Amino acid sequence: MAEAVTNTPVNIYFESNPNPNTLKFVVNFMLVPEGTNFDYPAPERATNSELAQELFTFPFVKGVFVMSNFITVSKDEATDWEEVRDGIKEHIKAYLESGKLAVNLSQPYAEEKKAEVAKAPVSDLDENIKGILDEYIRPAVEQDGGAIDFHSFEDGKVKVVLQGACSGCPSSTLTLKAGIENLLKRMVPEVQEVEAING
């Protein structure tokens, strides 16, 4: 399913995004099934990803996020991407060329896979909000190396979970308020506010 085919050449390029401390490494094949993502904000969470565990051995790596055909790596403030990005790229390339999986899907995910996130939408209004997020917001967020998930809607407030490049991004508050909140208020009159919570 998400297996790297050993005779397929592995091509990787990197893309910057609005978060200066993250870089998106894009691969020429799917790493995990469409619609799933795996967020590793710490090494102990990466129980089902040997690749993430290896990336955490770089002292500057602070987070790894795997989705579709890309891996978003978060670094510390002090490190310059210019100095380390090629090393990360080569490490990912060598790992995938060996035919190993980016994420072992048969192994449990240490984090209760988005335990709090993705409470199933409970009402038509929840479904409507989730649909708008999926259609209008998710593609742009994924383009930037992150993910957004609907969490809940209560008393006029929509709670979303930001992951990958969006988590801790300086411009995510602006995106949240100016972009997502305005769009939802316009399309769903019941929405008064949007708030990001930690996944």
Side-chain angles (χ1 to χ4, degrees), residues 21-23 25 40-43 46 51-65 71-79 81 84-85 87-89 91-92:
N21 289 323
T22 68
L23 200 58
F25 294 84
Y40 306 111
L51 175 57
Q53 288 172 18
E54 287 183 12
L55 291 172
F56 274 115
T57 64
F58 289 91
F60 54 84
V61 170
K62 297 296 169 208
V64 178
F65 176 77
I71 298 161
T72 300
V73 177
S74 304
K75 66 165 185 66
D76 61 28
E77 295 271 347
T79 305
W81 276 124
V84 298
R85 65 186 184 190
I88 293 277
K89 178 183 164 184
H91 191 94
I92 294 170

Coordinates of all heavy atoms in Angstrom, one line a residue, residues 21-23 25 40-43 46 51-65 71-79 81 84-85 87-89 91-92:
N21 N 10.9 27.5 10.5 CA 11.6 26.4 11.2 C 11.2 25.0 10.7 O 11.5 24.0 11.3 CB 11.3 26.5 12.7 CG 12.1 27.6 13.3 OD1 13.2 27.9 12.9 ND2 11.5 28.3 14.2
T22 N 10.4 25.0 9.6 CA 10.1 23.7 9.0 C 10.4 23.6 7.5 O 10.4 24.7 6.9 CB 8.6 23.3 9.2 OG1 7.8 24.2 8.4 CG2 8.1 23.4 10.6
L23 N 10.7 22.5 7.0 CA 11.0 22.3 5.6 C 10.2 21.0 5.2 O 10.2 20.0 5.9 CB 12.5 22.1 5.4 CG 13.0 22.4 4.0 CD1 12.7 23.8 3.5 CD2 14.5 22.2 4.0
F25 N 9.9 17.9 2.7 CA 10.6 17.1 1.8 C 9.6 16.2 1.0 O 8.9 15.4 1.6 CB 11.6 16.2 2.6 CG 12.7 17.0 3.3 CD1 12.4 17.5 4.5 CD2 13.9 17.2 2.7 CE1 13.4 18.3 5.2 CE2 14.9 17.9 3.3 CZ 14.6 18.5 4.5
Y40 N 4.7 13.5 14.7 CA 5.7 13.1 15.8 C 6.3 14.3 16.4 O 7.4 14.7 15.9 CB 6.7 12.1 15.2 CG 6.1 10.9 14.5 CD1 6.2 10.8 13.1 CD2 5.4 9.9 15.2 CE1 5.7 9.7 12.5 CE2 4.8 8.8 14.5 CZ 5.0 8.7 13.2 OH 4.4 7.6 12.5
P41 N 5.7 14.9 17.4 CA 6.4 16.1 18.0 C 7.5 15.7 19.0 O 8.2 16.6 19.5 CB 5.2 16.7 18.8 CG 4.2 15.6 19.1 CD 4.4 14.6 18.0
A42 N 7.8 14.5 19.2 CA 8.9 14.0 20.1 C 9.2 12.6 19.7 O 8.4 11.8 19.2 CB 8.4 14.1 21.5
P43 N 10.5 12.2 19.9 CA 11.0 10.9 19.5 C 10.1 9.7 20.1 O 9.9 8.7 19.5 CB 12.4 10.8 20.0 CG 12.8 12.2 20.5 CD 11.6 13.0 20.5
A46 N 7.3 8.4 18.2 CA 7.5 7.8 16.8 C 7.7 6.3 16.9 O 8.6 5.7 16.3 CB 8.8 8.4 16.2
L51 N 11.9 5.8 10.4 CA 12.5 6.9 9.8 C 12.4 8.2 10.7 O 13.4 8.9 10.8 CB 11.7 7.2 8.5 CG 12.1 8.5 7.7 CD1 13.6 8.5 7.4 CD2 11.2 8.7 6.5
A52 N 11.3 8.4 11.3 CA 11.2 9.5 12.3 C 12.2 9.4 13.4 O 12.8 10.3 13.8 CB 9.7 9.6 12.8
Q53 N 12.3 8.1 13.9 CA 13.2 7.9 15.0 C 14.7 8.3 14.6 O 15.4 8.9 15.3 CB 13.2 6.4 15.5 CG 11.9 6.1 16.2 CD 11.8 4.6 16.5 OE1 12.8 3.9 16.4 NE2 10.6 4.1 16.8
E54 N 15.0 7.9 13.3 CA 16.3 8.2 12.8 C 16.5 9.7 12.6 O 17.6 10.3 13.0 CB 16.6 7.5 11.5 CG 16.8 6.0 11.6 CD 17.1 5.3 10.3 OE1 17.4 6.0 9.3 OE2 17.1 4.1 10.3
L55 N 15.5 10.4 12.1 CA 15.6 11.9 12.0 C 15.8 12.6 13.3 O 16.5 13.6 13.4 CB 14.4 12.4 11.2 CG 14.3 12.0 9.7 CD1 12.9 12.4 9.1 CD2 15.4 12.5 8.9
F56 N 15.2 12.0 14.3 CA 15.3 12.7 15.7 C 16.7 12.5 16.2 O 17.1 13.2 17.2 CB 14.3 12.1 16.7 CG 13.0 12.7 16.7 CD1 11.8 12.1 16.3 CD2 12.8 14.1 17.0 CE1 10.6 12.7 16.3 CE2 11.6 14.7 17.0 CZ 10.5 14.0 16.6
T57 N 17.6 11.7 15.6 CA 19.0 11.6 16.1 C 19.8 12.8 15.6 O 20.8 13.1 16.2 CB 19.7 10.3 15.6 OG1 19.7 10.3 14.1 CG2 18.9 9.0 16.0
F58 N 19.3 13.6 14.7 CA 19.9 14.8 14.3 C 19.6 15.8 15.5 O 18.4 16.0 15.8 CB 19.4 15.4 13.0 CG 19.8 14.7 11.8 CD1 19.0 13.6 11.3 CD2 21.0 15.0 11.1 CE1 19.4 13.0 10.1 CE2 21.4 14.4 10.0 CZ 20.6 13.3 9.5
P59 N 20.5 16.4 16.2 CA 20.2 17.2 17.4 C 19.3 18.3 17.2 O 18.7 18.8 18.1 CB 21.6 17.6 17.9 CG 22.5 17.5 16.7 CD 22.0 16.4 15.8
F60 N 19.2 18.9 16.0 CA 18.4 20.1 15.7 C 17.0 19.7 15.4 O 16.1 20.6 15.3 CB 19.0 20.9 14.6 CG 19.3 20.1 13.3 CD1 18.3 19.9 12.4 CD2 20.5 19.5 13.1 CE1 18.5 19.2 11.2 CE2 20.8 18.8 11.9 CZ 19.7 18.6 11.0
V61 N 16.7 18.4 15.1 CA 15.3 18.1 14.7 C 14.4 18.1 15.9 O 14.6 17.5 16.9 CB 15.3 16.7 14.0 CG1 13.8 16.2 13.8 CG2 16.0 16.8 12.7
K62 N 13.3 18.8 15.8 CA 12.3 19.0 16.9 C 10.9 18.4 16.6 O 10.1 18.3 17.4 CB 12.1 20.5 17.2 CG 13.4 21.1 17.7 CD 13.8 20.6 19.0 CE 15.2 21.0 19.4 NZ 15.9 20.1 20.3
G63 N 10.7 17.9 15.4 CA 9.4 17.3 15.0 C 9.5 16.7 13.6 O 10.2 17.2 12.8
V64 N 8.7 15.7 13.4 CA 8.6 15.0 12.1 C 7.1 14.8 11.8 O 6.4 14.3 12.7 CB 9.3 13.7 12.1 CG1 9.2 13.0 10.7 CG2 10.8 13.9 12.4
F65 N 6.7 15.1 10.6 CA 5.3 14.9 10.2 C 5.2 14.2 8.9 O 5.9 14.7 7.9 CB 4.6 16.3 10.1 CG 3.2 16.3 9.7 CD1 2.2 16.0 10.5 CD2 2.9 16.7 8.4 CE1 0.8 16.0 10.1 CE2 1.5 16.7 7.9 CZ 0.5 16.4 8.8
I71 N 7.3 14.6 3.8 CA 7.7 14.6 5.2 C 8.1 16.0 5.6 O 8.9 16.6 4.9 CB 9.0 13.7 5.4 CG1 8.6 12.2 5.0 CG2 9.5 13.7 6.9 CD1 9.8 11.4 4.8
T72 N 7.5 16.6 6.6 CA 7.8 17.9 7.1 C 8.7 17.7 8.3 O 8.3 17.1 9.3 CB 6.6 18.7 7.4 OG1 5.8 18.8 6.3 CG2 6.9 20.1 7.9
V73 N 9.9 18.3 8.3 CA 10.8 18.3 9.4 C 10.9 19.6 10.1 O 11.0 20.7 9.4 CB 12.2 17.8 9.0 CG1 13.2 17.8 10.1 CG2 12.2 16.5 8.3
S74 N 10.7 19.7 11.4 CA 10.8 20.9 12.2 C 12.2 20.9 12.9 O 12.7 19.9 13.4 CB 9.8 21.0 13.3 OG 8.5 20.8 12.7
K75 N 12.8 22.1 12.9 CA 14.2 22.3 13.5 C 14.1 23.3 14.6 O 13.1 24.0 14.8 CB 15.2 22.7 12.4 CG 14.9 24.1 11.9 CD 16.1 24.6 11.1 CE 15.8 26.1 10.7 NZ 15.7 27.0 11.8
D76 N 15.2 23.4 15.3 CA 15.3 24.4 16.4 C 15.6 25.8 15.7 O 16.0 25.8 14.6 CB 16.4 24.0 17.4 CG 17.8 23.9 16.9 OD1 18.1 24.5 15.8 OD2 18.5 23.1 17.4
E77 N 15.5 26.8 16.5 CA 15.7 28.2 16.1 C 17.1 28.4 15.6 O 17.4 29.2 14.7 CB 15.4 29.2 17.2 CG 13.9 29.2 17.6 CD 13.1 30.2 16.8 OE1 13.7 31.0 16.1 OE2 11.8 30.1 16.9
A78 N 18.1 27.8 16.3 CA 19.5 28.2 16.1 C 20.1 27.6 14.8 O 21.1 28.1 14.3 CB 20.3 27.7 17.3
T79 N 19.5 26.6 14.3 CA 20.1 25.9 13.1 C 19.6 26.6 11.8 O 18.4 27.0 11.7 CB 19.7 24.4 13.1 OG1 20.1 23.9 14.4 CG2 20.3 23.7 12.0
W81 N 18.8 26.2 7.9 CA 18.4 25.1 6.9 C 19.5 24.9 5.9 O 19.7 23.8 5.4 CB 17.1 25.4 6.2 CG 15.9 25.0 7.0 CD1 14.8 25.8 7.4 CD2 15.5 23.7 7.5 NE1 13.9 25.1 8.1 CE2 14.3 23.8 8.2 CE3 16.2 22.5 7.4 CZ2 13.7 22.7 8.8 CZ3 15.6 21.4 8.0 CH2 14.4 21.5 8.7
V84 N 21.9 22.2 6.9 CA 21.5 20.9 7.2 C 20.5 20.2 6.3 O 20.3 19.0 6.3 CB 20.8 20.8 8.7 CG1 21.9 21.3 9.7 CG2 19.6 21.7 8.7
R85 N 19.9 21.0 5.4 CA 18.8 20.4 4.6 C 19.3 19.3 3.6 O 18.6 18.3 3.4 CB 18.0 21.5 3.8 CG 18.8 22.2 2.8 CD 18.1 23.3 2.1 NE 18.9 23.9 1.1 CZ 18.7 25.0 0.5 NH1 17.6 25.7 0.9 NH2 19.4 25.5 -0.5
G87 N 21.7 17.2 4.1 CA 22.0 16.0 4.9 C 20.7 15.3 5.2 O 20.6 14.0 5.1
I88 N 19.6 16.0 5.6 CA 18.3 15.4 5.9 C 17.8 14.8 4.6 O 17.3 13.6 4.6 CB 17.3 16.5 6.4 CG1 17.7 17.0 7.7 CG2 15.9 16.0 6.4 CD1 17.3 16.2 8.9
K89 N 17.9 15.5 3.5 CA 17.4 15.0 2.2 C 18.0 13.6 1.9 O 17.4 12.6 1.5 CB 17.6 16.0 1.1 CG 17.1 15.5 -0.3 CD 17.5 16.6 -1.3 CE 17.4 16.0 -2.7 NZ 17.8 17.0 -3.7
H91 N 19.5 11.6 3.9 CA 19.2 10.5 4.8 C 17.8 9.9 4.5 O 17.6 8.7 4.5 CB 19.1 11.1 6.3 CG 19.0 10.1 7.3 ND1 20.1 9.6 8.0 CD2 17.9 9.4 7.8 CE1 19.7 8.6 8.8 NE2 18.4 8.5 8.8
I92 N 16.8 10.8 4.2 CA 15.5 10.3 3.8 C 15.6 9.4 2.5 O 15.0 8.3 2.4 CB 14.5 11.4 3.6 CG1 14.3 12.2 4.9 CG2 13.2 10.9 3.0 CD1 13.5 13.5 4.8

